[in-house]
Amino acid sequence: MTNLSIINQMLKISKEEIYYLVEKITEIVDNENYTIMEFCGTHTHEISRYGIRSLLPKGLSLKSGPGCPVCVTAEEDIDYIIEITQKYDLGVITFGDIVKVPGSKGSLSYLKAKGKEVWVVYNPLESIEIASSNPSKNYILIGIGFETTVPTLAYTIKKIIEKNLKNLFYFSLHKLTPPAMKALLDSGEVKLDGIIGPGHVSTIVGVKGWQEVLKYYNIPFVIMGFEPEDIILGIYVLMQKIKNKESGVFNAYGRSVSFEGNIRAQKLVNEIFYVSDSNWRGFGIIPQSGLEIREDYSYLDAKKKFILDEPIKVRKTGCKCGDVLRGVIEPYQCPLFAKVCVPNNPKGPCMVSSEGSCAAYYMYERNRYLNEVGGYL
Ligand code: SF4
C-alpha cells in the first residue's frame, strides 16, 4: 500500500504513529536544511495551534504563504471601497474580517463607528433581505474569497439577478490561487524545496487545477487536509518526494479532493465571472488571478457603477504583510509584531484575519520567539 493510499483511508491515527512519522521525517531531514511552504492560511493556523512546528526537526523550516484572501486584499481596494461608500452614501454588506482590515486611510469599522451602515453577514444571501428592506438606499456586497468561497457568491449573484433588485451591487475581491503560486515561484525570492497544497481550494479546482502551473517547476506539491494527522502525514509524504527528487502535484487528501474537482461549482462560477488580472497585497498585479462579473451582468458591478474622480493614492504604513505573504520574513520579524500590532489593534490584515499568519503566530507561538524579538513579549 502506498503512503498516499494509507493517508486517504485514515482519518485518525494514534499518538505513537504520529511520533513514528515525526521520527521518519527527522531521518529524511538528517542534518540538512529544507524549506517548505504552507500556501494556505488555514494550514498556518492548524500548524501553530497544534504545535506541529515544535515537533519537526530544526533543519525543516515551514514558511507561511499568501493563502489568506483577506490578507492579500490590496490596500488600494480597501481605500477605494471606503471612498465610494462615503461619496455615494452606500450601505456596505460583507462577511468576515474584511471590516477590520486597515486600508491606508482607515477601515470599514471606522466608517461604521462614524455612523455608516456596515453589515457583517454570515450568509451572503442575507444581503438580498437587507437591500430589499430599504429600496431607497444603494448597497454594495463585497465578495471576497478564493476558489472555495466563490461558488456561494456566484449563487448569491444569480439570486440577485432573479429578484431583479435595483439597489444591490457587487464588488468583487475574488482571487485565484494557482496564478499566485506561479508568481511566488517565478519571483525566486524564497528558495522552496516543497509546497503544502491547500485542501479546500483543491476540493474545487481538483488536482488538475494545479497541474498546469506546477508542471513548469521542479518541485513537489502535496495537497493536504487540515487535521493535525493529515498535516504530519502530508509532510512525511512531501519530504519523501523531496528526498526522491520527485516533482508534480500529489494528492494526500483523497477523501475530499478529486482529479477534476467540483465541476458543478466550476460551471456556476464561470457562468457569472470571467478571469481578470488582480492586485495582490505584497505582489502587485498578478495576471489572470482575479474574477470580475461578466459583461451580461455588468449592471450589478459596483466597480462600474461607483466611480471616483481621482485614482487612489495609497499612504505608506509600517506593515510588512507583503513580505510575510511572500515568505520573505516571518511574522515575528516585523518590527510592529506584538508591540503595536496585536489582534485587538491590528496594523495589517495578517493580524486581523482568522487565517492570517501574524495572528496565528501571535495567538499560539509568540513565546517561542521570545529571544528572537529581544524578550519583549
Ligand atoms: Fe502587518 Fe502587523 Fe503582521 Fe507586522 S505584525 S506584518 S504590521 S499584520
Side-chain angles (χ1 to χ4, degrees):
M1 192 182 283
T2 65
N3 288 309
L4 286 186
S5 53
I6 293 170
I7 290 168
N8 290 333
Q9 283 174 24
M10 289 168 112
L11 284 175
K12 294 281 171 211
I13 58 175
S14 68
K15 200 164 96 181
E16 288 70 31
E17 284 165 316
I18 292 277
Y19 283 124
Y20 173 77
L21 286 166
V22 169
E23 248 177 64
K24 290 283 155 201
I25 293 169
T26 308
E27 273 171 29
I28 296 173
V29 171
D30 200 7
N31 286 321
E32 302 291 319
N33 289 311
Y34 296 94
T35 303
I36 60 178
M37 173 178 274
E38 74 275 1
F39 185 87
C40 169
T42 309
H43 275 137
T44 301
H45 269 254
E46 296 312 280
I47 287 166
S48 287
R49 185 148 76 106
Y50 290 105
I52 289 175
R53 220 183 304 275
S54 62
L55 286 177
L56 299 174
K58 275 211 156 32
L60 179 55
S61 155
L62 266 63
K63 283 197 174 292
S64 314
C68 157
V70 169
C71 307
V72 295
T73 298
E75 280 166 304
E76 286 90 335
D77 287 332
I78 302 282
D79 287 354
Y80 190 92
I81 290 168
I82 289 173
E83 296 268 331
I84 59 169
T85 301
Q86 295 182 111
K87 179 175 173 189
Y88 293 95
D89 191 25
L90 303 171
V92 178
I93 306 166
T94 188
F95 42 24
D97 300 318
I98 197 76
V99 169
K100 289 183 260 162
V101 172
S104 71
K105 296 161 198 158
S107 65
L108 288 168
S109 349
Y110 172 68
L111 284 190
K112 192 172 182 181
K114 277 180 38 184
K116 286 279 169 204
E117 208 181 320
V118 177
W119 294 79
V120 177
V121 293
Y122 291 101
N123 177 348
L125 289 170
E126 288 175 52
S127 62
I128 294 174
E129 269 172 56
I130 295 167
S132 307
S133 65
N134 192 357
S136 59
K137 187 172 181 92
N138 283 332
Y139 290 86
I140 51 168
L141 171 60
I142 303 173
I144 184 163
F146 294 147
E147 291 88 339
T148 329
T149 325
V150 190
T152 314
L153 273 308
Y155 179 79
T156 304
I157 293 173
K158 280 189 87 161
K159 291 289 157 196
I160 297 170
I161 295 163
E162 273 172 37
K163 301 261 178 199
N164 200 20
L165 273 180
K166 301 287 184 219
N167 65 327
L168 180 55
F169 302 88
Y170 196 82
F171 197 105
S172 172
L173 292 175
H174 294 301
K175 303 223 181 311
L176 301 173
T177 47
M181 188 77 255
K182 182 177 184 321
L184 192 94
L185 291 170
D186 283 344
S187 79
E189 278 186 298
V190 181
K191 189 197 164 297
L192 297 176
D193 297 295
I195 300 162
I196 296 176
H200 30 35
V201 162
S202 305
T203 301
I204 303 296
V205 305
V207 170
K208 193 177 165 188
W210 293 101
Q211 279 183 332
E212 184 54 32
V213 165
L214 269 297
K215 73 181 180 194
Y216 299 105
Y217 305 91
N218 192 21
I219 192 166
F221 177 99
V222 176
I223 298 166
M224 297 177 204
F226 299 98
E227 298 295 330
E229 48 268 60
D230 279 319
I231 297 172
I232 293 282
L233 279 160
I235 290 176
Y236 171 54
V237 174
L238 182 57
M239 291 314 296
Q240 281 190 318
K241 301 294 174 197
I242 294 170
K243 183 182 162 194
N244 298 334
K245 300 195 181 338
E246 289 177 70
S247 57
V249 181
F250 304 93
N251 185 10
Y253 195 27
R255 65 181 189 276
S256 179
V257 176
S258 64
F259 179 75
E260 295 283 347
N262 185 332
I263 293 172
R264 221 170 133 203
Q266 292 166 15
K267 277 191 183 147
L268 175 60
V269 170
N270 287 336
E271 204 184 306
I272 300 294
F273 295 102
Y274 70 94
V275 177
S276 64
D277 297 349
S278 186
N279 191 6
W280 291 59
R281 192 180 288 242
F283 289 82
I285 302 290
I286 301 182
Q288 301 291 283
S289 69
L291 292 171
E292 299 293 347
I293 296 186
R294 285 193 178 280
E295 200 51 42
D296 289 356
Y297 315 114
S298 62
Y299 57 91
L300 289 175
D301 192 340
K303 292 178 189 170
K304 293 190 174 140
K305 172 87 178 164
F306 305 110
I307 310 283
L308 296 175
D309 303 326
E310 300 281 327
I312 290 288
K313 285 189 193 121
V314 171
R315 280 191 217 128
K316 277 217 169 289
T317 68
C319 173
K320 300 272 181 206
C321 272
D323 293 341
V324 172
L325 291 163
R326 297 195 316 281
V328 175
I329 64 166
E330 306 293 340
Y332 63 87
Q333 291 170 320
C334 167
L336 307 187
F337 178 79
K339 293 172 185 155
V340 285
C341 183
V342 290
N344 61 9
N345 183 26
K347 300 296 173 199
C350 303
M351 189 60 92
V352 170
S353 172
S354 54
E355 293 185 25
S357 42
C358 297
Y361 275 66
Y362 184 88
M363 278 192 282
Y364 306 114
E365 296 195 86
R366 63 184 187 276
N367 291 332
R368 269 167 54 77
Y369 302 106
L370 198 68
N371 294 332
E372 280 156 275
V373 295
Y376 184 88
L377 301 177

